[in-house]
Amino acid sequence: MSEKKKDYRATLNLPDTSFPMRGDLAKREPQWVKEWHERRIYQKVRAASRGRPKFVLHDGPPYANGDIHLGHAINKILKDIVVKSRNMAGFDAPYVPGWDCHGMPIEREIEKLYGKNLPVEKTQSLCRAYAAEQIERQKRDFQRLGVLGDWDNAYTTMAFGNEAAEIRTLGKLLAKGYLYRGLKPVNWCFDCGSALAEAEVEYIDRKDFAIDVGFPFAEPEKVAQAFGLLELPGTVGWIVIWTTTPWTIPANQAYSTSPMKRNPNQTTNAITAVTVGGITSRSRSQG
């Protein structure tokens, strides 16, 4: 006969605890997030932090376009760590999430779903509805990541109040003369049928000459003053520049310089090459 196996658990003196042996984070985390929301933890932190020094993280909003991905997760989690750590360090650190509801990504999705050449009013209406839907989807996922914030009062660029404030600010800039009509190239995408931002333009790599160019002094006495000299060592001189875009030289008008204030707490050096009477020297100033 086989000997009956002994249950050694009864021989161990272990503490009795309700703490679970398994992590089961996939099951437990949603419950924690739900409890934080139901107990209004964020609002309680705000109330407890009232009167402390402010720490405001200005969060660049994501596009209200599509589900979140790893880039969103890294962005939001790192910012959440910063905000929570500032709260724990004794600051009043609110976090107000937001969404960018304007731009080509949303418009292109509407074109995919409903086609092109829709009336302007119809396009705007569809874009607004699409953005609102995406905001709710992304909001749910950001909260699932454990990010605490004022989710019930998030800001959106399509909110009528924000759009009105932008128009008022633009009016102030116009009244102060900060806006002017000029010439600027606009890059056009033949595939999208829309203008492109400068950051969206990709250039083919190419090799070009790098050149040194001398700009003759227009006001020698002011150049001497800019470099802390009573006068220049010669009557003829040039400011020398180095450029890797020689094709811009025909349109180059001038090179300007000004006195640089010395800052004893800053160690960065600014070096400007000055050619006087055929001799090149370097003026090193701390800026």
Side-chain angles (χ1 to χ4, degrees), residues 252-263:
N252 213 321
Q253 298 294 311
Y255 177 92
S256 63
T257 185
S258 63
M260 299 179 67
K261 295 182 179 179
R262 292 181 177 273
N263 184 349

Side-chain angles (χ1 to χ4, degrees), residues 267-284:
T267 59
T268 304
N269 291 325
I271 305 174
T272 303
V274 182
T275 301
V276 180
I279 300 175
T280 301
S281 63
R282 291 183 179 270
S283 172
R284 183 185 295 271

